Amino acid sequence: MKKLTGKQNRFLRAKGQTLTTAATIGKAGLTDEAITNVRELIAQHELIKVRLPEGSDRKAMAAELAERADAALAGVVGRTCLLYAPNPELLKGLQIHLPTSGA
């Protein structure tokens, strides 16, 4: 997944404000089942919120989750991270169109 620009991150974080948590990573951490579940959710929605476990290095865990799920990390706030991956197979009305850089 390519790196997002600052403008795109802000756009996705704004859209993420209204989302409910789609997945929760338990105490077992980033298991293969958890990664598979996150990949399936991202394929269906493009943008999801994931709740991370207490007491973990949340930023490192969120970055690893994004990498293993082939998604971009749009942000981490508290115990919640926001993951994005475009899916061109979704219906046109359900796709998220990111802003381009420039004026």
Side-chain angles (χ1 to χ4, degrees):
M1 177 81 216
K2 70 176 186 144
K3 196 109 168 119
L4 298 172
T5 65
K7 186 176 187 178
Q8 291 169 336
N9 276 331
R10 286 189 301 276
F11 174 79
L12 291 172
R13 286 195 308 265
K15 287 189 85 56
Q17 289 289 322
T18 60
L19 297 178
T20 58
T21 302
T24 301
I25 304 299
K27 291 181 182 179
L30 298 177
T31 63
D32 290 337
E33 288 178 349
I35 301 297
T36 301
N37 184 35
V38 167
R39 280 185 181 169
E40 289 172 359
L41 288 168
I42 290 173
Q44 294 170 5
H45 303 286
E46 291 191 328
L47 182 67
I48 64 167
K49 273 187 183 180
V50 179
R51 188 90 165 155
L52 302 172
E54 267 186 66
S56 63
D57 182 0
R58 292 180 291 271
K59 289 186 180 182
M61 183 178 275
E64 182 181 348
L65 175 61
E67 183 179 323
R68 289 180 61 189
D70 298 323
L73 180 62
V76 179
V77 177
R79 291 179 47 206
T80 304
C81 69
L82 197 61
L83 300 177
Y84 168 76
N87 183 355
E89 295 177 11
L90 278 180
L91 296 175
K92 292 293 182 200
L94 300 176
Q95 290 178 350
I96 297 173
H97 300 285
L98 294 177
T100 58
S101 57

